[in-house]
Amino acid sequence: MQASSLHLLLRILQILSLIALLGSGAAFAGAASAKSFNTKAAPGPLRRAAIVSPLLQAQMARLLNRSRGRFNEQLAGPEITVIVRSHHDVSRAIEQLGGTLVADIRGKVIATRLPLSKVSDLAGTTSVSRLDADQRLHPALDQSIAEIRAAQAWSHTDSSGMPLKGSHVLVGIVDSGIDYHNPDFKNPDGSTRIKFIWDQSLDGQAPNGFDFGYECDAASINDGSCPEKDTDGHGTHVTGIAAGNGAATGGRESGVAPKADIIMVKSSLKTSDVMAAWQYLLDKSSQLNEPIAINNSFGGMMSPHNGSSDLDLAADDLAGP
């Protein structure tokens, strides 16, 4: 076949693939060259009325377009992270499609990485009701300690006569990280108040039950070997408001729970990473036998604001009635 004819065929196949993708939310399983394209391998239309969100369809289209010419029939093709909403647990079906579970909230809301070519099969799986994009959320802290009248709570005491300032309680933060050298997060003897840091952006020391990220314990925080850094500053700011003890300002400016223990999850703030962070924090609460309050100072505009988003449902299920 002459080069001009081959080029024309390739362009036609690309256009047809993109039309099918945008029209049904399905990704072609075929490769990106005329040599490796196999129409028999391409999945057909969705077999049921599972909703594929417009944002996910757009992400799929961009990924398919970027991948043209860079994978063939010997490779699985590019992967995409998908948030799956289902009536029953479909984790086994996801794994059979070659997907990797990132987070699984009791089978009802699942974050998975899977081949782009398998999204249509996942959408056609029994019990799957919706597929959403892995959204990047944004920090959105705009409140201060004075507005919530924390000082009024401090005037009360617990059963041991201590002021209600967070003793023996965990404050979990999902954010941009933390400057663990800040005096606000240290005890009077200089040791850290931070029990754990899970940096989801680094590799090398994943927490138990997860396959990504780098976990630091109090020992590595105290000796300065923990590699986590808050290059944004938002997470440090938020943690200071939630649990800073005021040491950095001579006691003038402290957080809401200045006696609390702290756990930080440095996150990309994608839906899947936030879900995993929540699971991690609740696991730590159980291990340390301390109640936990989890702070999430971020948000987005790509989901309904009526409590029905994937994260809303996951949070409701984790928090319980």
Side-chain angles (χ1 to χ4, degrees), residues 106-130:
R106 294 178 172 83
K108 297 179 181 178
V109 185
I110 297 175
T112 178
R113 290 189 300 269
L114 80 164
L116 180 63
S117 61
K118 297 297 184 180
V119 174
S120 62
D121 292 331
L122 178 58
T125 300
T126 302
S127 294
V128 172
S129 60
R130 182 180 176 89

Side-chain angles (χ1 to χ4, degrees), residues 84-306:
V84 184
R85 196 182 303 185
S86 62
H87 301 297
H88 303 288
D89 191 351
V90 293
S91 57
R92 182 176 295 275
I94 290 172
E95 291 173 342
Q96 290 174 346
L97 291 173
T100 300
L101 299 182
V102 177
D104 183 351
I105 308 299
R106 294 178 172 83
K108 297 179 181 178
V109 185
I110 297 175
T112 178
R113 290 189 300 269
L114 80 164
L116 180 63
S117 61
K118 297 297 184 180
V119 174
S120 62
D121 292 331
L122 178 58
T125 300
T126 302
S127 294
V128 172
S129 60
R130 182 180 176 89
L131 301 182
D132 273 318
D134 192 16
Q135 302 180 42
R136 186 179 299 279
L137 307 176
H138 307 285
L141 180 69
D142 61 357
Q143 295 186 349
S144 68
I145 187 172
E147 293 176 337
I148 63 170
R149 303 176 183 177
Q152 294 184 16
W154 295 343
S155 66
H156 299 279
T157 58
D158 59 21
S159 58
S160 62
M162 298 294 293
L164 293 178
K165 291 191 173 184
S167 297
H168 308 298
V169 173
L170 287 168
V171 170
I173 308 288
V174 184
D175 215 289
S176 65
I178 188 170
D179 175 9
Y180 62 81
H181 299 289
N182 191 301
D184 263 30
F185 312 131
K186 295 183 178 182
N187 295 307
D189 63 2
S191 62
T192 187
R193 296 171 52 213
I194 305 170
K195 295 292 187 181
F196 294 96
I197 299 174
W198 180 21
D199 189 336
Q200 295 180 331
S201 69
L202 299 177
D203 292 319
Q205 194 165 289
N208 289 335
F210 300 89
D211 65 354
F212 67 102
Y214 193 105
E215 183 184 49
C216 301
D217 60 11
S220 64
I221 296 170
N222 279 325
D223 65 23
S225 63
C226 176
E228 180 272 341
K229 296 183 183 299
D230 181 10
T231 57
D232 180 279
H234 187 269
T236 300
H237 173 63
V238 167
T239 309
I241 291 176
N245 61 15
T249 58
R252 294 191 309 274
E253 299 176 3
S254 68
V256 177
K259 297 290 186 180
D261 295 323
I262 300 167
I263 300 179
M264 167 60 70
V265 179
K266 178 176 179 177
S267 176
S268 70
L269 300 185
K270 289 183 177 180
T271 307
S272 55
D273 286 342
V274 171
M275 290 167 59
W278 290 348
Q279 287 186 301
Y280 170 81
L281 291 170
L282 291 176
D283 288 346
K284 290 300 184 186
S285 174
S286 297
Q287 293 171 16
L288 297 173
N289 195 29
E290 290 188 13
I292 189 168
I294 301 176
N295 184 85
N296 305 283
S297 294
F298 48 78
M301 298 300 294
M302 300 303 296
S303 299
H305 293 182
N306 60 4

